[in-house]
Amino acid sequence: MLVVFVLIMVIEGYYFMKRYFNKIDKVISSMLYDDFTVDYQFNDQNQTLIKANKLYYKLKEKDRDAVSQKMLYDQILNGLDSGLIILDLSKENQEIMLMNEYFQQYFAVPVLKDWKLMANYLGDFYELLEAREFTEFKTTLDIQVDRGERQTFVIQTSITQIKQVKYYTVLIDSIQRVIYSKENEAWVSVMKVISHELMNSLAPIHALAQNMDDILKQDKWSIEDQEDMKISIGTIINRSNHLQDFVDRYRKLTMLPSPVLATVDLNLLVHSMTSNYQLILSKKEIELKINSEPNIYAELDQSQFEQVLVNLFTNSLHALTEVEKKLLEINIYQNNSRIFIEFTDSGPIIDETIVSKIFLPFYTTRKDGAGIGLSLSKAIIEAHKGYLYYQLKNNKNCFVIVLIK
């Protein structure tokens, strides 16, 4: 009986240990092969099994977070308006880790893993990366895509190494697409301003014309009707004159004559321009400082360029109207082949939300402003092969003219 009892105990112990290790083996196998589809519910009080179960659910939660993050990153990368491709350089044939939807659709390539297979689809682009031996660089390349016209692309690459794996990221974008996008954005903004200006005049003209038409249909006119007619006609004339002025300003902006160049002493030109404002500066208690290097000459259309100086100068005067410390500085200096003229004032800082709009035609924050001063100035400077921009310098507004000699 004792022998039988011991034998039963040994058999029971064997199957108990087998079931116990089978449970642990299942949990460990799930974690080992990243299979988190099973929900383990163990009633055992064994601490080892309980800890293994907790570890499984902890890794399962991390795996769920990792999947969610990957989905988010994929969504962000696929939402880019630029082509993106990431290669794993640690593999012998440069395995493609990621290719976003923009890249696939723009270059009409299938989803591939082997970089070498891209030679049949990417042509010059493929040969460029191979010739550069997957080093970091930034360049432009003319590519003919899908038998269309040749386009210029900006290509930028970078290398990232994580442990023993080296990743090669390639970002590519069409210059024409960027230019078109920016031009379209600018034209939409301009058309909003133009439509707003036109509606401000056409709406009252239409309403007043309708009112006059109703009065004219009457058999008799009262004194009030006659007064209404006079007011209506006066308002229509006023709004028509405003529209005429608006069109004239638009024509002035779009029909800028080519500059007639001559050698001009910039120091003399700036001092001559500011001398006309000495009375205004004194009356408004504005301090003017002109800092200039000697003998700075440039090839300019003096009349057009002086108009730019006047526009920037008067803008600064308006900015200083309601501040206590009124300081306007003009700096003229040369750095290698570039000439800089800076207008810096101590007026209120231009709001970041409108900085991108200040050079748009007809955009103004002043009630009496025409909204073409800065846009006209920018057009004149660009006609001189230079550029005009705004920056925040020493916490002050600063408009900078750059001329290239």
Side-chain angles (χ1 to χ4, degrees), residues 252-306:
K252 183 179 181 181
L253 184 65
T254 57
M255 300 181 66
L256 184 69
S258 299
V260 180
L261 303 180
T263 303
V264 176
D265 184 334
L266 282 176
N267 286 314
L268 183 61
L269 183 61
V270 171
H271 280 86
S272 174
M273 184 273 296
T274 56
S275 65
N276 298 324
Y277 291 87
Q278 290 303 320
L279 185 60
I280 296 176
L281 292 171
S282 176
K283 185 178 180 180
K284 294 188 175 183
E285 299 180 340
I286 296 175
E287 181 185 359
L288 173 64
K289 290 184 179 180
I290 301 177
N291 309 306
S292 60
E293 295 178 356
N295 302 319
I296 297 184
Y297 297 88
E299 295 294 315
L300 306 170
D301 184 314
Q302 182 165 330
S303 176
Q304 290 186 9
F305 198 80
E306 188 171 8

Side-chain angles (χ1 to χ4, degrees), residues 371-387:
I372 67 165
L374 286 176
S375 54
L376 180 61
S377 298
K378 187 176 178 66
I380 291 173
I381 296 301
E382 289 176 352
H384 283 75
K385 309 302 181 185
Y387 45 96

Side-chain angles (χ1 to χ4, degrees), residues 81-222:
D81 285 336
S82 301
L84 176 70
I85 187 168
I86 301 176
L87 307 178
D88 182 355
L89 298 184
S90 62
K91 301 293 175 62
E92 184 177 351
N93 292 325
Q94 292 87 37
E95 182 179 312
I96 300 172
M97 297 294 296
L98 182 142
M99 183 194 309
N100 72 346
E101 291 179 0
Y102 183 93
F103 192 98
Q104 288 177 242
Q105 295 172 3
Y106 199 91
F107 293 98
V109 295
V111 178
L112 300 172
K113 282 295 183 182
D114 191 344
W115 166 251
K116 297 296 182 184
L117 298 177
M118 284 292 186
N120 301 322
Y121 299 94
L122 301 180
D124 294 342
F125 175 50
Y126 176 87
E127 292 175 5
L128 174 66
L129 296 184
E130 288 287 334
R132 294 293 184 102
E133 297 181 344
F134 302 100
T135 55
E136 291 186 337
F137 65 90
K138 183 176 182 179
T139 188
T140 58
L141 180 68
D142 286 338
I143 307 175
Q144 186 176 18
V145 180
D146 196 24
R147 298 182 181 179
E149 63 178 349
R150 295 188 71 85
Q151 295 188 41
T152 303
F153 289 82
V154 176
I155 301 172
Q156 184 170 352
T157 67
S158 62
I159 297 175
T160 305
Q161 185 157 348
I162 303 175
K163 295 183 178 179
Q164 303 301 319
V165 182
K166 188 180 289 186
Y167 296 101
Y168 192 65
T169 303
V170 183
L171 192 65
I172 181 169
D173 205 353
S174 167
I175 291 180
Q176 284 88 339
R177 186 196 67 80
V178 175
I179 292 174
Y180 174 78
S181 175
K182 293 298 181 184
E183 284 181 346
N184 188 56
E185 184 179 328
W187 272 112
V188 168
S189 299
V190 169
M191 291 310 297
K192 283 181 180 178
V193 176
I194 292 176
S195 61
H196 178 265
E197 193 73 22
L198 291 176
M199 288 306 297
N200 280 348
S201 292
L202 292 177
I205 287 176
H206 177 77
L208 291 169
Q210 184 66 48
N211 182 52
M212 291 172 62
D213 183 62
D214 293 338
I215 293 174
L216 288 171
K217 291 177 180 178
Q218 299 176 9
D219 294 332
K220 294 182 180 180
W221 294 356
S222 65

